[in-house]
Amino acid sequence: MTHSIESPILASNPKLYSFFPLFYMAWADAVLLPSEISAIESYIGKQSWLSKEESDFLRSFLNPKNPPSPQELKSWKRKINETSVEADDKLAAIGEKLSALKGSDLDENLKSSLKEIEAMMGIVSDESAFNLRAKERKTITQQLESKRSFDVQKMTQVLDGDNKAIIDKVKKVLADPQFNYLDTDNLSEYREQVFKWCQLLADQGFGSMAFPKEFGGEGDMKKYFAIMETLSYHDLSTVIKFGVQFGLWGMSVFFLGTEKHHKKYIKDIGSLKLPGCFAMTETGHGSNVKGVETTATYQHSSKSFVIHTPHNRAGKEYIGNAAVHGQMATVFAKLIIDDVDYGVNAFIVPLRNTDGKTEKGVTIEDCGRKMGLNGVDNGKIWFDQVNIPFENMLDRYASVDANGQFQSPITSDNRRFFTMLGTLVGGRIGIPRSGLSATKSGLTIAIRHGDKRKQFGPESGSEVPILNYRTHQRRLMPLLSNAYASHFALQYVTERFLNRKEEEMQEIEAMAAGLKAWSTWNTTHTLQECREACGGKGYLSENRIDRLKNDTDVYTTFEGDNTVLMQLVAKGRLSEFKKEFSDINFFGMMNYVAEKAKIGFTEMNPLIIRNTDEAHLLDAEFHLSAFRYREKDILTSAAKRFKKHLDAGMDSFDAFNQTQYHMVNVGHAYVERLILEQFLEGISKVEDQQCKDALTKLCQLFALSQIEKNKGWYLEHDYMTGSKTKAIRKMVNQLCWEVRQDAVALVDAFNIPDNCLSALIAVTK
Amino acid sequence: MTHSIESPILASNPKLYSFFPLFYMAWADAVLLPSEISAIESYIGKQSWLSKEESDFLRSFLNPKNPPSPQELKSWKRKINETSVEADDKLAAIGEKLSALKGSDLDENLKSSLKEIEAMMGIVSDESAFNLRAKERKTITQQLESKRSFDVQKMTQVLDGDNKAIIDKVKKVLADPQFNYLDTDNLSEYREQVFKWCQLLADQGFGSMAFPKEFGGEGDMKKYFAIMETLSYHDLSTVIKFGVQFGLWGMSVFFLGTEKHHKKYIKDIGSLKLPGCFAMTETGHGSNVKGVETTATYQHSSKSFVIHTPHNRAGKEYIGNAAVHGQMATVFAKLIIDDVDYGVNAFIVPLRNTDGKTEKGVTIEDCGRKMGLNGVDNGKIWFDQVNIPFENMLDRYASVDANGQFQSPITSDNRRFFTMLGTLVGGRIGIPRSGLSATKSGLTIAIRHGDKRKQFGPESGSEVPILNYRTHQRRLMPLLSNAYASHFALQYVTERFLNRKEEEMQEIEAMAAGLKAWSTWNTTHTLQECREACGGKGYLSENRIDRLKNDTDVYTTFEGDNTVLMQLVAKGRLSEFKKEFSDINFFGMMNYVAEKAKIGFTEMNPLIIRNTDEAHLLDAEFHLSAFRYREKDILTSAAKRFKKHLDAGMDSFDAFNQTQYHMVNVGHAYVERLILEQFLEGISKVEDQQCKDALTKLCQLFALSQIEKNKGWYLEHDYMTGSKTKAIRKMVNQLCWEVRQDAVALVDAFNIPDNCLSALIAVTK
């Protein structure tokens, strides 16, 4: 039996046409259940105006065993499309129009039957009706477009600040064809290229930038950081090799050595004439670096030191520059004088002569391939009774006197070692800043792609940029806000570090540790999302996300494992307690929280807890209060827990482990508060109103998406009601939608040169 | 001034010794603040028994400008260690013992002063006291050890089930030296090796396993899945190349073609004599595959089809086997007959002759390097008016008849296409199962390493396996439970697929889509955590996590982008509504939820909401209720939101986008419930009690860590109070601690051969 929309029976009773939109829907998309078929049949049965033949005709359209042909279905659609369907017509209304077109009006009984059938079909019917409505649907989702609500160059200026000149200079150097990416996966070819790039950068004076003028530099640590950050838009192996040479090797000699070392080495280090290593980590001791087992035994007779690796697992590992290029190393070893262990100290140890031949007693092994950073030649080093001269001890914090006696202005071995490490905290600032550049590269690629890439769309409508989809916005917009937020926070910690006073060091070290952990985790997470957000294109090496992700993946590990760093932050925060700790009690705790967080108990006022006004939700004061409250409460309760275990006689080591989960949260809450404060502080200094407005929106998104992430905590602590956290979720969705419109401009403002970005899906030309 | 513990003044008044533990603490670890120094000085001032000289002597120990020498500090420690310090001694008590050792008891006044000073120092003092106590501290954290609470082989048997024989066979084949990993990063060398491995596997009959006996196979799809899963312990490029050849290329010919195709091709496909491709995705259409633009135009005159790529972005992209080895491809193209578009259909198109020369009109480009899977030769393909014979149309679901008319038993073009795709849903099962094997490899590496790797420990105590740390357990134990949970769920969906009835397909497709998304995201996340949990060792290629991560990273993208799949699941779930949808209201909704979830309102009983009893928290019924409630509530409210937008006149496309965030959550909640149910179901069938107990604990951890992850939702919906979610957090910590002890046994039960695992830090020999 045919199901032609040209059947003579239809011409004789055009009212029958009114069923065709429903039939079309049933066969085109839906799956009709037996119960639905019989319900529709019963509606047909109720139509007293139908002849037996007409009823049978209509019923025949519902027989699953006798479907219309593909051609017939197409002809129904063509016929339906002849009617002038309005935007809010439903199937029943379309059916009515189709009948009218054929010259027949429907009575109320039939109209209401059609509506009832449609209601029964529910959502499926609604969707189908939309598909039939217009040739070209214009939806809000399709129409959302990128705009530029601010001057991109002004925003770049806000980000670059007074680093603009050096940033521009580095970009100009990187634009030289010599810096074209190398398409090789041959390890030694890549390593040699990276070495060459480092040499070219050193020739520009970038390597010695932080060293004093007398040693060929400019004594400008601030510029050094900006150089590292800008180089990180290019090859990341080069950045790390650069950092190993000039940062770790150079700065260890500079900060741990004294004038004699500076005069002898710094100039050659800055020019890369003397490539070297920073040999601290051992196979057996990474995070717990205080426990390294390499020894430096003082020989009274020859006034020299013997560097020795006592067993295989005490070999130095992952040492950058070691496998191929390093000629010397700063080696961290336990100083032994007359069988007394004076803790970990630093020594300059020659590894290779200028011809590349390893020195006697030194064994070096290549670490081989890594997940990323394959342009860096990491290696393992073992020492077999290697004799080094007296003056090779880096003696700023400890020395051996003429009588072979240990001397140090710092009494405790531990504290001396951590003071030495403290001078090297710059690495914990350089790494997250490098990671941030990679994050910006990833976001630039994924957001530009998301703006251009179209996929899906309303039936019979054009396809939609994927960045117009809510889930895509949810994936990328909060991460864009994180990138801007951490930019300002990292600028701040850099300034604090550059202008540090001795008594601020503990605070600065905590900030650097916390920001390093938060920021590098954010890098890993962001690049993962960017990879997925670009789909198959994100998986192809031609779009570079793979390399950005793999190269930075170890940022969460080196310069301190992130989880360990967060605990370090927590320990620092706990020392705030001291006295409070001893006589802690509930009211004391509440007072402490209230006082330190500068939050009155009014904050816990039920009206505020429930406040879902838009103005309140977007208010920076609300965000700050929430972040600060959380930080203080988590700190206080972690301390309380810890104390409770101690009071119950638990070993302090166990007590710390017992509360470790909370301690890590202490670190997170601290860093999040710090970042929000510095984002707000940074925005307050922006003069251009349009930039300020765009940044303010980003900051609101940052704050609310963090609060949303922690909503379980806020609800557990009755700081917010469920109605408020739901309102926040809605507001985050709304902000994502708004920020999306500026998103391309916001990544353009990172101003990453096309030659560095080098992702086919994202370059501007 | 010296600070010798041998000063004559001490001999004359041994009570002075009582201050040395405090002094040691002050100089060894703490930083004394000026206020603390003056407080201690005032306590000293209160000691009337001290002479002026003695007071000055003690006060001199507090002068920051006159520190003791490193040698002096060491001598204090030695002296203190001469006393017999008890486990719960604090600094004051140790001081008392030191005095006593020197022959002097303290009076009460002095004792209480020391205690007050110590209290003032708070936490720092506690920690220091621990450090002074014993030569070797024995903490709970140190003593936690791996155990085997069950028979590992029996657990392996539980996991392998009736696949044991084929799993063992595949492992045996992989143990052949021919399958030794290739240490190369040369793309073509690697690709040739992978092709060779595929050939060796085909020679074993693995490739044709799923095809009928008459075509050289065993007709055993179940074994085919087990082969894919087991191969995934080895090189993942090989698995994907294997899947492209035998799964995508072979199954598309088998399921979309008819007898003539089977006879002509299947045997040669199964033996790898005829390497081929599955050419569906185009540059312009990936997720929205229905929109592919390649055309297959029927020529009445010659009764043939012309395959054509209308523009550059309509080229096929990411096509496995295309760049080098493929000789033919199943090409998906819009069938055009007499200018009418009959939707996407499938055609066999020759690409290369057996000499590797591309056919006329075919252009192939290499996709080049990718993040991973570099042993697979992905390529792009364009067709320029390529003529193929009539019989090359895969005509199971649609054909062209003798009159050049389109014929199909399925009326709707869309539904026909999705029916065709439905036959290929096996890929959505194979991929997550392959990903699960990689997940198991990663966990085996990270957990064995965490058990052996020691780092940090109590001062003067031995170092501790990092898996004994709470944060490390928190990172890995819930992921171990996820792996076991998804193992059972993926077994279940495989069985459902193998024994499917036509009317179950929609349900099975939704399960496969949801599990694919959840499980592959879990793979990516797990391998990321494993990388970080192994620190620098995790970054070295010698430990293989980099490759596992990079190879499987695209699993979240191919066989359907995960975010899109979760929406697909949601759409399927929404169709449950239909009628309910039309007259939705609050009470109807609640009834619906209550009924469908089989949850009475007693569940919302305040006593249960607050119940924090251990037995309740560990009860599977509680877990199931919570998962089911969440699933149904999220589904209902997503539907309600969607309907609200439609009722307000919003275009359905916009309404879906508006609720997209919730739709994705619908998918997650659905899958999580499914996994929990199947984990429990799987456990119920285990006979060995010890295995059952271990699995039950894992299942509790799975359930509670999922609930914890979603605690914001449960709190927002008043399904739990804050006290209950806090109790759950504590229970998760506790379960992590317990599961950690079985963790090594639990990964050993995965029974991954050392030669496949090939991670230096984790192989058992």
Side-chain angles (χ1 to χ4, degrees), chain A residues 26-28 30-31 36 67-68 70-71 73-74 119-120 122-123 126-127 130 137 139-141 185 283-288 290 313 317-318 341-342 369-373 406 411-413 415-416 453 455-459 463 468-471 474-475 521 524 528 531-532 536-537 539 541 546 549-551 553-554 556-557 563 578 582 641-642 646 650-654 657-658 660-662 664 711-712 715-716 725-726 729, chain B residues 26-28 30-31 36 67-68 70-71 73-74 119 122-123 126-127 130 137 139-141 185 283-288 290 313 317-318 341-342 369-373 406 411-413 415-416 453 455-459 463 468-471 474-475 521 524 528 531-532 536-537 539 541 546 549-551 553-554 556-557 563 578-579 582 641-642 646 650-654 657-658 660-662 664 711-712 715-716 725-726 729:
Chain A
W27 288 106
V31 173
E36 291 169 333
Q71 288 86 345
L73 192 70
K74 286 181 208 297
M120 189 183 62
I123 192 170
D126 281 322
E127 178 58 24
F130 271 106
R137 278 157 77 183
T139 62
I140 304 166
T141 308
D185 283 276
T283 304
H285 288 89
S287 290
N288 187 17
K290 199 181 71 174
R313 291 178 54 78
E317 192 166 4
Y318 317 114
D341 176 350
Y342 288 93
R369 287 228 163 237
K370 306 181 296 290
M371 188 174 194
L373 298 179
F406 183 78
T411 304
S412 151
D413 294 346
R415 213 188 301 170
R416 185 182 322 111
R453 169 77 173 171
Q455 204 72 178
F456 294 112
E459 193 80 26
E463 287 188 294
N468 288 7
Y469 292 110
R470 295 280 187 174
T471 49
R474 267 271 178 183
R475 279 191 125 158
W521 264 326
T524 296
Q528 183 66 40
R531 204 302 287 155
E532 294 177 30
K537 287 287 181 192
Y539 198 63
S541 298
D546 60 341
K549 169 74 171 64
N550 281 331
D551 285 345
D553 206 83
V554 77
T556 57
T557 297
T563 304
K578 293 202 166 189
S582 308
R641 276 196 180 84
F642 187 44
L646 289 185
M650 192 182 275
D651 189 297
S652 63
F653 187 77
D654 288 328
N657 193 28
Q658 200 66 21
Q660 204 177 32
Y661 173 78
H662 303 283
V664 170
K711 74 178 178 183
L715 289 162
E716 267 178 354
T725 57
K726 286 177 187 171
R729 180 190 62 213
Chain B
W27 288 107
V31 173
E36 291 169 334
Q71 288 85 346
L73 193 70
K74 286 180 208 298
I123 191 171
D126 280 322
E127 176 60 22
F130 272 106
R137 276 156 77 183
T139 62
I140 304 166
T141 308
D185 284 275
T283 304
H285 289 89
S287 291
N288 187 18
K290 199 181 71 176
R313 291 178 54 79
E317 192 165 2
Y318 317 114
D341 175 351
Y342 288 93
R369 288 230 162 234
K370 306 181 296 290
M371 189 173 194
L373 299 179
F406 184 79
T411 302
S412 152
D413 294 345
R415 211 188 302 170
R416 186 184 320 113
R453 170 77 173 171
Q455 204 72 180
F456 295 111
E459 193 81 26
E463 288 188 294
N468 288 6
Y469 291 110
R470 294 280 186 173
T471 49
R474 267 271 178 183
R475 280 192 125 158
W521 263 326
T524 295
Q528 183 66 40
R531 204 302 287 155
E532 294 177 30
K537 287 286 182 193
Y539 198 64
S541 298
D546 60 341
K549 170 75 172 65
N550 282 330
D551 284 346
D553 206 83
V554 78
T556 57
T557 298
T563 304
K578 295 200 166 190
K579 173 77 178 84
S582 307
R641 276 196 180 85
F642 187 44
L646 289 185
M650 192 182 273
D651 188 298
S652 63
F653 187 77
D654 287 327
N657 193 28
Q658 200 66 20
Q660 203 177 32
Y661 173 78
H662 303 283
V664 170
K711 74 178 177 182
L715 289 162
E716 267 178 354
T725 57
K726 285 177 188 171
R729 181 189 61 213

Side-chain angles (χ1 to χ4, degrees), chain B residues 233-414:
Chain B
Y233 295 133
H234 185 250
D235 179 77
L236 290 155
S237 287
T238 307
V239 177
I240 298 306
K241 182 108 173 168
F242 185 96
V244 164
Q245 171 68 19
F246 308 112
L248 293 175
W249 161 233
M251 306 272 183
S252 62
V253 173
F254 187 70
F255 284 118
L256 306 181
T258 48
E259 204 185 353
K260 60 180 177 290
H261 303 111
H262 301 168
K263 284 187 172 160
K264 190 166 177 187
Y265 299 113
I266 294 297
K267 196 175 170 193
D268 287 349
I269 293 175
S271 69
L272 195 52
K273 192 177 159 196
L274 180 60
C277 310
F278 181 83
M280 181 148 71
T281 299
E282 295 177 358
T283 304
H285 289 89
S287 291
N288 187 18
V289 72
K290 199 181 71 176
V292 296
E293 295 168 281
T294 301
T295 51
T297 308
Y298 183 69
Q299 310 290 101
H300 288 283
S301 54
S302 57
K303 289 190 189 282
S304 64
F305 300 94
V306 173
I307 308 293
H308 186 64
T309 309
H311 58 89
N312 187 51
R313 291 178 54 79
K316 299 294 178 185
E317 192 165 2
Y318 317 114
I319 309 304
N321 247 349
V324 180
H325 297 118
Q327 290 172 19
M328 288 194 175
T330 296
V331 173
F332 289 81
K334 291 195 294 188
L335 172 61
I336 311 287
I337 306 175
D338 299 330
D339 294 331
V340 177
D341 175 351
Y342 288 93
V344 181
N345 286 274
F347 304 84
I348 293 182
V349 184
L351 298 179
R352 290 184 177 86
N353 62 25
T354 46
D355 295 337
K357 191 170 171 297
T358 5
E359 299 284 350
K360 184 163 170 285
V362 176
T363 306
I364 298 178
E365 206 176 82
D366 197 326
C367 285
R369 288 230 162 234
K370 306 181 296 290
M371 189 173 194
L373 299 179
N374 279 304
V376 184
D377 54 321
N378 296 80
K380 298 190 204 181
I381 315 174
W382 294 266
F383 301 99
D384 183 13
Q385 310 285 356
V386 174
N387 215 290
I388 58 165
F390 186 80
E391 62 269 19
N392 278 25
M393 179 169 181
L394 292 170
D395 56 356
R396 176 166 166 200
Y397 292 101
S399 59
V400 178
D401 68 13
N403 303 318
Q405 293 300 302
F406 184 79
Q407 294 293 341
S408 173
I410 303 172
T411 302
S412 152
D413 294 345
N414 277 349

